[in-house]
Amino acid sequence: MKSNIKILLIFCCVSIKITAQNPIITHIFTADPSPIVHKGTLYLYTGHDVATTEDTNYKMADWHVFSTTNMATWKDHGALLSPGTFPWATGDAYAAQCIERNGKFYWFVSTFHKDDGVSKGGAAIGVAVSDSPVGPFKDAIGKALVINEMTTDNKHSWDDIDPTVFVDDDGQAYMYWGNGSCKWVKLKSSMTEIDGAINTFKPENYIEGPWVYKRKGIYYLVYASRGEKAETIEYCTSDSPTGPWKHQGQLQGSVTNSFTTHPGIVDYKGKSYFFYHNGTLPTGGSYRRAVCVDYMYYNPDGTIKKIVQTTEGVAKIK
Ligand code: FUB
């Protein structure tokens, strides 16, 4: 009897200590994580690296959706969107973010435009829409929301990437994006039309991958920044979604074996989580990346403690 209790106690301790592992997705190469919580489930939208070990640039076939309710086991809902969904696109499937508004799910993606009568090509932003977080998704507009010709502050053709969309408490939606500079614009409530002029600014050390959100009255702009050898993550805060933004310094150092890293932030079941990618899967690298998650901790004044990257990941929750 006594030994049964001992076994039970050991079992309880082991199960309490169970953690997931980093990377969290291991059966395919994933990048550019974007989490949302809907009806008690955390949905994670990612890109999908399909470059070979010999390739020297990104090859990104499609976007996947994963879900979890315990932060340890992840269901792959498959490649629910690809550049092929957008008749105007040529690929690849660069960073994207899906958000819910009024029961519809809007998946803002960055990909590349065909050289046609509308654009001469280059990176562009599109929107897909669905009634469910796991699709089916269709092109919401039938054309790109942003094309390369709409922003001219950078000369390179891939500056219109990495959309992040945030809806403020008053219902006003904002989209931020950009490589080389951060751009923002208001969106109409349809979520598929731009409202007014595009604005451009350069947060300190900014490269790409903005992620904007509001928490306890503070607006946060988190982004991939210029590190010594590879990208790092820095962030700014503001009391307005339109700035001015106060630089708050580095949030995460470079990641292992990948030049890029990319922030995705969410609160779920009482804890704050920071998603990113690295290149640590076997045969991984800068073009064969893998999504990870670690805890994120706020100070009482709303500033964020530096992210500690771990291989054990976060604890399993109920
Ligand atoms: O995944 C392709 C590009 O690499 C993304 O758009 C950037 O944020 C960087 O992660």
Side-chain angles (χ1 to χ4, degrees):
M1 185 64 175
K2 262 190 182 167
S3 65
N4 278 353
I5 291 172
K6 207 171 168 186
I7 287 167
L8 190 68
L9 277 174
I10 290 169
F11 177 75
C12 286
C13 291
V14 169
S15 63
I16 286 165
K17 278 186 185 159
I18 282 177
T19 58
Q21 84 292 322
N22 272 329
I24 56 173
I25 311 295
T26 55
H27 65 290
I28 56 172
F29 293 99
T30 54
D32 305 327
S34 153
I36 54 168
V37 173
H38 178 67
K39 292 190 175 167
T41 297
L42 192 157
Y43 293 93
L44 180 67
Y45 299 77
T46 77
H48 177 198
D49 282 336
V50 294
T52 66
T53 49
E54 281 74 44
D55 282 328
T56 54
N57 205 345
Y58 302 105
K59 267 193 193 156
M60 303 188 73
D62 41 47
W63 294 276
H64 275 241
V65 185
F66 301 87
S67 67
T68 189
T69 53
N70 65 12
M71 295 304 292
T73 43
W74 293 88
K75 178 177 178 188
D76 185 355
H77 295 268
L80 298 188
L81 189 64
S82 79
T85 306
F86 305 99
W88 47 267
T90 59
D92 289 72
Y94 272 32
Q97 181 181 11
C98 185
I99 68 155
E100 191 253 335
R101 184 166 200 189
N102 297 333
K104 291 208 178 293
F105 293 82
Y106 296 92
W107 201 346
F108 293 81
V109 306
S110 47
T111 182
F112 288 79
H113 206 286
K114 286 176 180 164
D115 181 350
D116 58 16
V118 174
S119 171
K120 287 200 156 46
I125 293 171
V127 194
V129 67
S130 173
D131 294 328
S132 151
V134 291
F137 285 92
K138 61 174 191 214
D139 185 352
I141 322 178
K143 63 177 185 173
L145 182 65
V146 173
I147 58 173
N148 183 39
E149 287 79 358
M150 288 164 68
T151 64
T152 51
D153 61 313
N154 285 296
K155 295 294 162 248
H156 58 289
S157 62
W158 65 94
D159 64 321
D160 292 300
I161 61 171
D162 296 0
T164 179
V165 174
F166 159 72
V167 183
D168 208 347
D169 302 333
D170 62 1
Q172 179 62 59
Y174 300 84
M175 182 170 74
Y176 308 75
W177 74 99
N179 172 291
S181 65
C182 189
K183 308 140 202 319
W184 69 268
V185 74
K186 285 182 181 175
L187 296 180
K188 293 188 180 168
S189 56
S190 65
M191 302 301 276
T192 56
E193 294 164 278
I194 279 171
D195 193 2
I198 293 174
N199 306 274
T200 302
F201 65 112
K202 279 195 183 181
E204 208 167 306
N205 300 320
Y206 180 88
I207 294 188
E208 59 187 359
W211 181 271
V212 174
Y213 66 104
K214 185 181 188 181
R215 191 177 185 275
K216 296 189 177 171
I218 299 175
Y219 296 84
Y220 292 86
L221 165 61
V222 183
Y223 53 93
S225 58
R226 200 164 293 106
E228 277 184 17
K229 288 190 180 147
E231 286 183 348
T232 52
I233 300 287
E234 295 182 34
Y235 78 106
C236 299
T237 55
S238 180
D239 57 9
S240 161
T242 60
W245 295 97
K246 181 176 183 219
H247 185 244
Q248 298 284 6
Q250 196 180 87
L251 179 56
Q252 187 196 43
S254 298
V255 300
T256 304
N257 205 28
S258 166
F259 175 77
T260 63
T261 179
H262 191 105
I265 292 165
V266 79
D267 282 0
Y268 182 54
K269 295 187 177 174
K271 292 201 180 323
S272 299
Y273 294 99
F274 184 82
F275 290 83
Y276 58 99
H277 62 233
N278 65 22
T280 61
L281 279 184
T283 76
S286 284
Y287 309 115
R288 293 159 69 80
R289 297 163 291 178
V291 167
C292 302
V293 63
D294 277 306
Y295 290 116
M296 188 164 164
Y297 298 104
Y298 292 86
N299 295 309
D301 67 356
T303 55
I304 315 171
K305 293 186 198 299
K306 196 164 172 186
I307 304 294
V308 178
Q309 297 178 50
T310 69
T311 49
E312 64 267 26
V314 300
K316 183 176 180 178
I317 53 174
K318 283 191 180 164

